[in-house]
Amino acid sequence: MPELEKEIRKRRTFAIISHPDAGKTTLTEKFLLYGGQINLAGSVKGKATARHAVSDWMDIEKERGISVTSSVLQFEYADCCINILDTPGHQDFSEDTYRTLMAADSAVMVIDGAKGVEPQTRKLFKVCGRRGIPIFTFINKMDRDARDTFELVDEIEKELGIATCPINWPIGSGHEFQGVYDRNTGEIVSFTGTLKGTKEGQEIRISLSDEEASLKALGEDARETLVSEIELLDGASEPFDQDAVDHGKLSPVFFGSALTNFGVEIFLNYFLQMTSSPLPRESDERIIDPIKDGFSAFVFKIQANMNKAHRDRIAFMRICSGRFSAGMDVFHVQGNKNVRLMQPQQMMADDRHVVDEAYAGDIIGVFDPGIYAIGDTICMPGQKFRFAGIPSFAPEHFARVRQVDTMKRKQFVKGITQIAQEGAIQIFQEDNYGMEEIIVGVVGVLQFEVLQYRLKNEYSVEILLEQLPYEHIRWIRDRDTDMDKIRGTSDMKKVRDLKGRPLLLFVNAWSIGMTLDRNEGLELDEFSDN
Ligand code: G4P
């Protein structure tokens, strides 16, 4: 196999999604442990330290001990080159969290075994569902009392609307947790047999059909329960179907305990077999093949101010095809210009380093002198195709922004426009008001604080934020609709986005229905595909 193909085929690029506290950080650390990036899982103390080590780009992150921005970790394991796209797991997540999923080939959904499906899991899952990417479920914290296993699996199917196929099955939970049963091999993998918290622990595997040995390992009651549960499961669950997994229609389910390091390696090994290397991507001209086509990438995130002294921006690109090598000339389609990607960087476990080469599936961050926008395509000179744009996700919180010192008008407009171009916030103007008053929409309320902080620190502009009651936003499909003619409810607001597209803000879902009823032929969209 040629070198290029070998490199691309070993790439696995995925995101880990979860509701806060389900164990995403812990699981990521354990993956790094297996990748040899850290010697003992315990050596990364607490999540605050771990996250700072990875991305202490903004003071606000340090102050709060959370990761506002997503980062990428790359490491090698079992002949695979793994790229983990870290999505902020805090309650106040942002549009970046969604966008990161656009750059991933699959997602691992971590669920707390005691809690089941939680609100943020649901939201993130919806975005994965729209793209149809493979979703793998890791039900965590089995060393604590968990809910009934059948009930948990049932909840995932019902709440998220996806079929599941448990690849392994827990043997008890909490104090009774004894390990998992590997349905593929028919073996019991024992919990007590592994040395907790290290990767040195020897996995002890006993065949369930070896009655004597399995009885000795589990005890009579636990063995009996397991045998009847497996019988039930074999009769009731969907058979494993790789094609359904590839299309995001069937989620393989795993059980384990990230904290005690149990079930992580089994999961990782199956996962790496079941998830694919980078796949072809659609562009407006043709399907781009990761191996046969030359270098191409798209920008999915722009991060400002990583170095305060230089006020630099970094554009994060997902490479979709071919090989990138430092210093090569490429074509920036939206800018219609040949460019050189400057200071290309990749993230290793705990630092950024300059890359000489990167392949389809990898994420690189390049210096951005202010020319890139989210969704832009970069390809080889002579090519001109564009990858599908990244949708604008519907903000859920809105505020009116006013500047305190009106003399600083220019800085204010510049600052807020730049921050909006980076995609951290969306800005809207009320029809006929221009930039006098701006309505800002965000996915997570923390972004309001980030906006206030950045305008003050980077542009010396103080602002006042007045939160507005709107919770729903709808783009009007026909851009030429005469806004004055729309008859809505009294609490509805008509605005335009930065691109001049008309849209409506609503306080509740009832008003949306009412407005649709009153305006025949009006079509509204929840997402805007750029
Ligand atoms: P997150 O990134 O999804 O927000 O979750 P994180 O990994 O930070 O885990 C949240 C809490 O749950 C942490 O405890 C962590 O130690 C614990 N945890 C994670 N996996 C397991 C597991 O398999 N079993 C058990 N029993 N606990 C688990 P914390 O006390 O909030 O934080 P820390 O001080 O331990 O970092």
Short mmCIF file of all heavy atoms in Angstrom, two decimals, residues 236-290:
data_model
loop_
_atom_site.label_atom_id
_atom_site.label_comp_id
_atom_site.label_asym_id
_atom_site.label_seq_id
_atom_site.Cartn_x
_atom_site.Cartn_y
_atom_site.Cartn_z
N ALA A 236 -33.78 -10.13 22.05
CA ALA A 236 -34.43 -8.83 21.86
C ALA A 236 -33.62 -7.79 21.09
O ALA A 236 -34.18 -6.92 20.45
CB ALA A 236 -34.80 -8.26 23.22
N SER A 237 -32.29 -7.86 21.16
CA SER A 237 -31.53 -6.72 20.59
C SER A 237 -31.26 -6.90 19.11
O SER A 237 -31.32 -7.99 18.56
CB SER A 237 -30.22 -6.53 21.35
OG SER A 237 -29.25 -7.41 20.86
N GLU A 238 -30.96 -5.78 18.48
CA GLU A 238 -30.66 -5.77 17.04
C GLU A 238 -29.34 -6.52 16.82
O GLU A 238 -28.43 -6.42 17.63
CB GLU A 238 -30.42 -4.31 16.60
CG GLU A 238 -31.62 -3.42 16.71
CD GLU A 238 -32.50 -3.47 15.49
OE1 GLU A 238 -31.99 -3.84 14.41
OE2 GLU A 238 -33.70 -3.18 15.62
N PRO A 239 -29.22 -7.24 15.72
CA PRO A 239 -27.93 -7.85 15.43
C PRO A 239 -26.93 -6.76 15.02
O PRO A 239 -27.34 -5.69 14.58
CB PRO A 239 -28.23 -8.78 14.25
CG PRO A 239 -29.45 -8.24 13.62
CD PRO A 239 -30.23 -7.52 14.69
N PHE A 240 -25.64 -7.04 15.19
CA PHE A 240 -24.65 -6.04 14.79
C PHE A 240 -24.65 -5.92 13.27
O PHE A 240 -24.66 -6.91 12.56
CB PHE A 240 -23.26 -6.44 15.28
CG PHE A 240 -22.21 -5.46 14.88
CD1 PHE A 240 -22.10 -4.26 15.56
CD2 PHE A 240 -21.38 -5.70 13.79
CE1 PHE A 240 -21.16 -3.31 15.16
CE2 PHE A 240 -20.44 -4.75 13.40
CZ PHE A 240 -20.33 -3.57 14.09
N ASP A 241 -24.67 -4.69 12.79
CA ASP A 241 -24.72 -4.46 11.34
C ASP A 241 -23.83 -3.26 11.04
O ASP A 241 -24.19 -2.11 11.32
CB ASP A 241 -26.20 -4.18 10.96
CG ASP A 241 -26.38 -3.79 9.52
OD1 ASP A 241 -25.36 -3.56 8.82
OD2 ASP A 241 -27.54 -3.67 9.08
N GLN A 242 -22.65 -3.55 10.49
CA GLN A 242 -21.65 -2.49 10.28
C GLN A 242 -22.19 -1.37 9.40
O GLN A 242 -21.92 -0.19 9.63
CB GLN A 242 -20.37 -3.08 9.68
CG GLN A 242 -19.23 -2.09 9.50
CD GLN A 242 -18.63 -1.58 10.82
OE1 GLN A 242 -18.26 -2.37 11.67
NE2 GLN A 242 -18.57 -0.27 10.99
N ASP A 243 -22.98 -1.74 8.40
CA ASP A 243 -23.49 -0.74 7.48
C ASP A 243 -24.42 0.24 8.22
O ASP A 243 -24.36 1.46 8.02
CB ASP A 243 -24.25 -1.43 6.34
CG ASP A 243 -24.61 -0.43 5.26
OD1 ASP A 243 -23.67 0.19 4.73
OD2 ASP A 243 -25.81 -0.27 4.97
N ALA A 244 -25.27 -0.32 9.11
CA ALA A 244 -26.17 0.54 9.88
C ALA A 244 -25.36 1.43 10.83
O ALA A 244 -25.69 2.60 11.05
CB ALA A 244 -27.15 -0.31 10.67
N VAL A 245 -24.26 0.91 11.37
CA VAL A 245 -23.38 1.72 12.24
C VAL A 245 -22.78 2.86 11.42
O VAL A 245 -22.79 4.02 11.84
CB VAL A 245 -22.26 0.85 12.86
CG1 VAL A 245 -21.26 1.72 13.62
CG2 VAL A 245 -22.84 -0.22 13.78
N ASP A 246 -22.27 2.54 10.23
CA ASP A 246 -21.63 3.55 9.37
C ASP A 246 -22.58 4.70 9.05
O ASP A 246 -22.13 5.83 8.82
CB ASP A 246 -21.18 2.92 8.04
CG ASP A 246 -20.03 1.95 8.24
OD1 ASP A 246 -19.44 1.95 9.33
OD2 ASP A 246 -19.75 1.16 7.30
N HIS A 247 -23.86 4.40 8.98
CA HIS A 247 -24.81 5.46 8.61
C HIS A 247 -25.51 6.09 9.81
O HIS A 247 -26.49 6.81 9.67
CB HIS A 247 -25.85 4.91 7.63
CG HIS A 247 -25.24 4.63 6.30
ND1 HIS A 247 -24.69 3.40 5.99
CD2 HIS A 247 -25.03 5.42 5.23
CE1 HIS A 247 -24.18 3.46 4.76
NE2 HIS A 247 -24.38 4.67 4.27
N GLY A 248 -24.99 5.79 10.99
CA GLY A 248 -25.54 6.42 12.20
C GLY A 248 -26.93 5.91 12.56
O GLY A 248 -27.70 6.60 13.22
N LYS A 249 -27.24 4.70 12.12
CA LYS A 249 -28.58 4.17 12.42
C LYS A 249 -28.57 3.16 13.56
O LYS A 249 -29.60 2.80 14.11
CB LYS A 249 -29.16 3.51 11.16
CG LYS A 249 -29.35 4.48 10.01
CD LYS A 249 -30.42 3.99 9.07
CE LYS A 249 -30.73 4.94 7.94
NZ LYS A 249 -30.54 6.34 8.18
N LEU A 250 -27.39 2.67 13.88
CA LEU A 250 -27.26 1.68 14.96
C LEU A 250 -26.06 2.07 15.81
O LEU A 250 -24.97 2.30 15.28
CB LEU A 250 -27.03 0.29 14.35
CG LEU A 250 -26.85 -0.87 15.33
CD1 LEU A 250 -28.18 -1.24 16.00
CD2 LEU A 250 -26.28 -2.10 14.62
N SER A 251 -26.29 2.18 17.12
CA SER A 251 -25.18 2.56 17.99
C SER A 251 -24.67 1.36 18.79
O SER A 251 -25.42 0.80 19.58
CB SER A 251 -25.63 3.67 18.95
OG SER A 251 -24.56 4.00 19.81
N PRO A 252 -23.41 0.97 18.58
CA PRO A 252 -22.84 -0.09 19.41
C PRO A 252 -22.70 0.43 20.84
O PRO A 252 -22.28 1.57 21.05
CB PRO A 252 -21.46 -0.33 18.80
CG PRO A 252 -21.53 0.26 17.42
CD PRO A 252 -22.47 1.42 17.53
N VAL A 253 -23.11 -0.38 21.82
CA VAL A 253 -23.10 0.09 23.21
C VAL A 253 -22.08 -0.70 24.04
O VAL A 253 -22.00 -1.92 23.92
CB VAL A 253 -24.51 -0.07 23.85
CG1 VAL A 253 -24.50 0.35 25.31
CG2 VAL A 253 -25.54 0.74 23.08
N PHE A 254 -21.34 0.04 24.86
CA PHE A 254 -20.31 -0.56 25.72
C PHE A 254 -20.54 -0.09 27.15
O PHE A 254 -21.04 1.01 27.37
CB PHE A 254 -18.93 -0.11 25.28
CG PHE A 254 -18.60 -0.52 23.88
CD1 PHE A 254 -19.04 0.24 22.80
CD2 PHE A 254 -17.87 -1.66 23.62
CE1 PHE A 254 -18.75 -0.14 21.49
CE2 PHE A 254 -17.57 -2.06 22.31
CZ PHE A 254 -18.02 -1.30 21.25
N PHE A 255 -20.13 -0.92 28.09
CA PHE A 255 -20.24 -0.54 29.50
C PHE A 255 -18.86 -0.53 30.12
O PHE A 255 -17.99 -1.29 29.71
CB PHE A 255 -21.12 -1.54 30.25
CG PHE A 255 -22.55 -1.53 29.78
CD1 PHE A 255 -22.94 -2.27 28.67
CD2 PHE A 255 -23.50 -0.77 30.44
CE1 PHE A 255 -24.25 -2.26 28.22
CE2 PHE A 255 -24.82 -0.74 30.00
CZ PHE A 255 -25.20 -1.50 28.89
N GLY A 256 -18.67 0.33 31.12
CA GLY A 256 -17.38 0.34 31.78
C GLY A 256 -17.31 1.39 32.86
O GLY A 256 -18.34 1.96 33.26
N SER A 257 -16.11 1.59 33.34
CA SER A 257 -15.89 2.57 34.38
C SER A 257 -14.58 3.28 34.08
O SER A 257 -13.50 2.72 34.28
CB SER A 257 -15.82 1.85 35.73
OG SER A 257 -15.10 2.60 36.66
N ALA A 258 -14.70 4.47 33.53
CA ALA A 258 -13.50 5.19 33.10
C ALA A 258 -12.57 5.46 34.28
O ALA A 258 -11.36 5.36 34.16
CB ALA A 258 -13.89 6.49 32.40
N LEU A 259 -13.16 5.78 35.42
CA LEU A 259 -12.35 6.16 36.58
C LEU A 259 -11.44 5.01 37.01
O LEU A 259 -10.26 5.20 37.27
CB LEU A 259 -13.26 6.57 37.74
CG LEU A 259 -12.52 7.10 38.97
CD1 LEU A 259 -11.86 8.44 38.67
CD2 LEU A 259 -13.47 7.25 40.15
N THR A 260 -12.00 3.82 37.09
CA THR A 260 -11.18 2.69 37.51
C THR A 260 -10.52 2.01 36.32
O THR A 260 -9.90 0.96 36.45
CB THR A 260 -12.02 1.64 38.27
OG1 THR A 260 -13.04 1.19 37.37
CG2 THR A 260 -12.65 2.23 39.50
N ASN A 261 -10.70 2.59 35.15
CA ASN A 261 -10.02 2.10 33.97
C ASN A 261 -10.58 0.78 33.47
O ASN A 261 -9.91 0.05 32.76
CB ASN A 261 -8.54 1.92 34.32
CG ASN A 261 -7.68 2.01 33.10
OD1 ASN A 261 -8.07 2.63 32.13
ND2 ASN A 261 -6.54 1.38 33.14
N PHE A 262 -11.77 0.47 33.84
CA PHE A 262 -12.30 -0.82 33.44
C PHE A 262 -13.20 -0.72 32.21
O PHE A 262 -14.13 0.09 32.18
CB PHE A 262 -13.07 -1.51 34.58
CG PHE A 262 -13.47 -2.88 34.18
CD1 PHE A 262 -12.56 -3.91 34.25
CD2 PHE A 262 -14.72 -3.12 33.65
CE1 PHE A 262 -12.90 -5.18 33.80
CE2 PHE A 262 -15.07 -4.38 33.21
CZ PHE A 262 -14.15 -5.41 33.29
N GLY A 263 -12.93 -1.57 31.25
CA GLY A 263 -13.77 -1.59 30.05
C GLY A 263 -13.32 -0.60 28.99
O GLY A 263 -13.87 -0.57 27.90
N VAL A 264 -12.31 0.22 29.33
CA VAL A 264 -11.87 1.26 28.39
C VAL A 264 -11.10 0.65 27.22
O VAL A 264 -11.33 0.98 26.06
CB VAL A 264 -11.00 2.32 29.11
CG1 VAL A 264 -10.48 3.35 28.13
CG2 VAL A 264 -11.80 2.99 30.22
N GLU A 265 -10.21 -0.30 27.57
CA GLU A 265 -9.40 -0.90 26.51
C GLU A 265 -10.26 -1.76 25.57
O GLU A 265 -10.10 -1.71 24.36
CB GLU A 265 -8.28 -1.73 27.13
CG GLU A 265 -7.21 -2.05 26.11
CD GLU A 265 -6.01 -2.76 26.73
OE1 GLU A 265 -6.11 -3.18 27.89
OE2 GLU A 265 -5.00 -2.88 26.02
N ILE A 266 -11.21 -2.50 26.15
CA ILE A 266 -12.09 -3.33 25.32
C ILE A 266 -12.86 -2.41 24.37
O ILE A 266 -12.98 -2.67 23.19
CB ILE A 266 -13.14 -4.08 26.19
CG1 ILE A 266 -12.46 -4.81 27.34
CG2 ILE A 266 -14.00 -5.01 25.35
CD1 ILE A 266 -13.44 -5.41 28.34
N PHE A 267 -13.35 -1.33 24.95
CA PHE A 267 -14.11 -0.38 24.14
C PHE A 267 -13.25 0.18 23.01
O PHE A 267 -13.63 0.17 21.84
CB PHE A 267 -14.63 0.76 25.03
CG PHE A 267 -15.17 1.91 24.24
CD1 PHE A 267 -16.24 1.73 23.38
CD2 PHE A 267 -14.61 3.18 24.34
CE1 PHE A 267 -16.74 2.78 22.62
CE2 PHE A 267 -15.10 4.23 23.59
CZ PHE A 267 -16.17 4.03 22.72
N LEU A 268 -12.06 0.65 23.38
CA LEU A 268 -11.18 1.29 22.40
C LEU A 268 -10.86 0.33 21.26
O LEU A 268 -10.92 0.71 20.08
CB LEU A 268 -9.90 1.75 23.12
CG LEU A 268 -9.01 2.75 22.42
CD1 LEU A 268 -9.79 3.98 21.99
CD2 LEU A 268 -7.86 3.16 23.33
N ASN A 269 -10.57 -0.92 21.58
CA ASN A 269 -10.22 -1.88 20.54
C ASN A 269 -11.38 -2.14 19.57
O ASN A 269 -11.19 -2.14 18.36
CB ASN A 269 -9.72 -3.19 21.15
CG ASN A 269 -8.35 -2.98 21.78
OD1 ASN A 269 -7.59 -2.10 21.36
ND2 ASN A 269 -8.03 -3.75 22.80
N TYR A 270 -12.57 -2.33 20.12
CA TYR A 270 -13.72 -2.56 19.24
C TYR A 270 -14.04 -1.30 18.44
O TYR A 270 -14.32 -1.34 17.25
CB TYR A 270 -14.96 -2.97 20.04
CG TYR A 270 -15.01 -4.45 20.34
CD1 TYR A 270 -15.01 -4.91 21.65
CD2 TYR A 270 -15.07 -5.38 19.31
CE1 TYR A 270 -15.07 -6.27 21.93
CE2 TYR A 270 -15.12 -6.74 19.58
CZ TYR A 270 -15.13 -7.19 20.89
OH TYR A 270 -15.18 -8.53 21.15
N PHE A 271 -13.99 -0.19 19.14
CA PHE A 271 -14.33 1.08 18.51
C PHE A 271 -13.43 1.35 17.29
O PHE A 271 -13.91 1.73 16.22
CB PHE A 271 -14.21 2.20 19.56
CG PHE A 271 -14.25 3.58 18.98
CD1 PHE A 271 -15.40 4.06 18.39
CD2 PHE A 271 -13.14 4.41 19.03
CE1 PHE A 271 -15.45 5.33 17.84
CE2 PHE A 271 -13.17 5.68 18.50
CZ PHE A 271 -14.33 6.14 17.90
N LEU A 272 -12.14 1.11 17.47
CA LEU A 272 -11.21 1.40 16.37
C LEU A 272 -11.44 0.50 15.15
O LEU A 272 -11.19 0.88 14.03
CB LEU A 272 -9.76 1.29 16.85
CG LEU A 272 -9.37 2.36 17.87
CD1 LEU A 272 -7.96 2.12 18.40
CD2 LEU A 272 -9.48 3.77 17.29
N GLN A 273 -11.98 -0.70 15.43
CA GLN A 273 -12.34 -1.59 14.31
C GLN A 273 -13.63 -1.14 13.63
O GLN A 273 -13.79 -1.25 12.44
CB GLN A 273 -12.64 -2.99 14.82
CG GLN A 273 -11.46 -3.85 15.12
CD GLN A 273 -11.95 -5.12 15.83
OE1 GLN A 273 -13.05 -5.62 15.58
NE2 GLN A 273 -11.13 -5.61 16.74
N MET A 274 -14.56 -0.65 14.46
CA MET A 274 -15.91 -0.38 13.94
C MET A 274 -16.07 1.02 13.34
O MET A 274 -16.98 1.25 12.56
CB MET A 274 -16.94 -0.53 15.06
CG MET A 274 -17.08 -1.94 15.55
SD MET A 274 -18.16 -1.99 17.00
CE MET A 274 -18.20 -3.74 17.34
N THR A 275 -15.20 1.95 13.74
CA THR A 275 -15.32 3.29 13.17
C THR A 275 -14.39 3.36 11.97
O THR A 275 -13.44 2.59 11.87
CB THR A 275 -14.97 4.38 14.21
OG1 THR A 275 -15.26 5.65 13.63
CG2 THR A 275 -13.52 4.35 14.61
N SER A 276 -14.68 4.25 11.05
CA SER A 276 -13.91 4.18 9.81
C SER A 276 -12.82 5.24 9.75
O SER A 276 -12.82 6.21 10.49
CB SER A 276 -14.84 4.34 8.61
OG SER A 276 -15.11 5.69 8.43
N SER A 277 -11.90 5.05 8.82
CA SER A 277 -10.91 6.07 8.52
C SER A 277 -11.63 7.15 7.69
O SER A 277 -12.78 6.96 7.31
CB SER A 277 -9.74 5.45 7.78
OG SER A 277 -10.21 4.78 6.64
N PRO A 278 -10.98 8.28 7.40
CA PRO A 278 -11.68 9.36 6.70
C PRO A 278 -12.39 8.90 5.43
O PRO A 278 -11.84 8.14 4.65
CB PRO A 278 -10.55 10.34 6.37
CG PRO A 278 -9.55 10.09 7.43
CD PRO A 278 -9.61 8.64 7.75
N LEU A 279 -13.62 9.36 5.29
CA LEU A 279 -14.45 8.95 4.16
C LEU A 279 -14.53 10.07 3.12
O LEU A 279 -14.23 11.22 3.42
CB LEU A 279 -15.86 8.64 4.66
CG LEU A 279 -15.96 7.43 5.58
CD1 LEU A 279 -17.36 7.35 6.19
CD2 LEU A 279 -15.65 6.16 4.81
N PRO A 280 -14.95 9.73 1.91
CA PRO A 280 -15.13 10.78 0.89
C PRO A 280 -16.11 11.84 1.38
O PRO A 280 -17.01 11.53 2.16
CB PRO A 280 -15.72 10.01 -0.29
CG PRO A 280 -15.31 8.60 -0.09
CD PRO A 280 -15.24 8.40 1.40
N ARG A 281 -15.90 13.08 0.95
CA ARG A 281 -16.81 14.17 1.33
C ARG A 281 -17.38 14.85 0.11
O ARG A 281 -16.69 15.00 -0.90
CB ARG A 281 -16.05 15.25 2.12
CG ARG A 281 -15.77 14.84 3.51
CD ARG A 281 -15.80 16.02 4.45
NE ARG A 281 -15.62 15.47 5.79
CZ ARG A 281 -16.12 15.99 6.88
NH1 ARG A 281 -16.83 17.09 6.82
NH2 ARG A 281 -15.91 15.44 8.06
N GLU A 282 -18.60 15.30 0.26
CA GLU A 282 -19.25 15.97 -0.86
C GLU A 282 -18.77 17.40 -1.01
O GLU A 282 -18.59 18.10 -0.03
CB GLU A 282 -20.75 16.01 -0.58
CG GLU A 282 -21.55 15.22 -1.57
CD GLU A 282 -23.01 15.22 -1.20
OE1 GLU A 282 -23.67 16.20 -1.55
OE2 GLU A 282 -23.45 14.24 -0.55
N SER A 283 -18.57 17.82 -2.25
CA SER A 283 -18.32 19.24 -2.50
C SER A 283 -19.33 19.67 -3.56
O SER A 283 -20.07 18.84 -4.07
CB SER A 283 -16.90 19.46 -3.01
OG SER A 283 -16.81 19.09 -4.38
N ASP A 284 -19.32 20.95 -3.91
CA ASP A 284 -20.32 21.41 -4.89
C ASP A 284 -20.02 20.90 -6.30
O ASP A 284 -20.87 20.95 -7.18
CB ASP A 284 -20.44 22.93 -4.86
CG ASP A 284 -19.13 23.62 -5.20
OD1 ASP A 284 -18.09 22.93 -5.25
OD2 ASP A 284 -19.15 24.84 -5.42
N GLU A 285 -18.80 20.38 -6.52
CA GLU A 285 -18.47 19.90 -7.87
C GLU A 285 -18.54 18.39 -7.98
O GLU A 285 -19.01 17.83 -8.96
CB GLU A 285 -17.04 20.31 -8.24
CG GLU A 285 -16.95 21.74 -8.70
CD GLU A 285 -15.54 22.10 -9.15
OE1 GLU A 285 -14.67 21.22 -9.22
OE2 GLU A 285 -15.34 23.30 -9.41
N ARG A 286 -18.00 17.72 -6.97
CA ARG A 286 -17.94 16.26 -7.02
C ARG A 286 -17.61 15.74 -5.63
O ARG A 286 -17.38 16.52 -4.70
CB ARG A 286 -16.86 15.81 -8.02
CG ARG A 286 -15.48 16.36 -7.67
CD ARG A 286 -14.49 16.21 -8.83
NE ARG A 286 -13.29 17.00 -8.54
CZ ARG A 286 -12.25 16.57 -7.83
NH1 ARG A 286 -12.25 15.34 -7.35
NH2 ARG A 286 -11.22 17.35 -7.58
N ILE A 287 -17.58 14.40 -5.53
CA ILE A 287 -17.19 13.80 -4.25
C ILE A 287 -15.67 13.80 -4.16
O ILE A 287 -14.99 13.40 -5.11
CB ILE A 287 -17.70 12.33 -4.18
CG1 ILE A 287 -19.19 12.26 -4.45
CG2 ILE A 287 -17.27 11.67 -2.88
CD1 ILE A 287 -20.08 12.35 -3.27
N ILE A 288 -15.15 14.28 -3.06
CA ILE A 288 -13.70 14.34 -2.90
C ILE A 288 -13.22 13.10 -2.15
O ILE A 288 -13.67 12.82 -1.03
CB ILE A 288 -13.30 15.62 -2.12
CG1 ILE A 288 -13.87 16.87 -2.81
CG2 ILE A 288 -11.78 15.72 -1.97
CD1 ILE A 288 -13.44 17.09 -4.25
N ASP A 289 -12.32 12.37 -2.78
CA ASP A 289 -11.83 11.13 -2.18
C ASP A 289 -10.61 11.44 -1.31
O ASP A 289 -9.68 12.11 -1.74
CB ASP A 289 -11.43 10.15 -3.29
CG ASP A 289 -11.07 8.80 -2.72
OD1 ASP A 289 -9.90 8.59 -2.35
OD2 ASP A 289 -11.98 7.96 -2.62
N PRO A 290 -10.61 10.91 -0.07
CA PRO A 290 -9.52 11.26 0.85
C PRO A 290 -8.15 10.81 0.35
O PRO A 290 -7.14 11.47 0.63
CB PRO A 290 -9.89 10.52 2.14
CG PRO A 290 -10.92 9.52 1.78
CD PRO A 290 -11.61 10.05 0.56
#
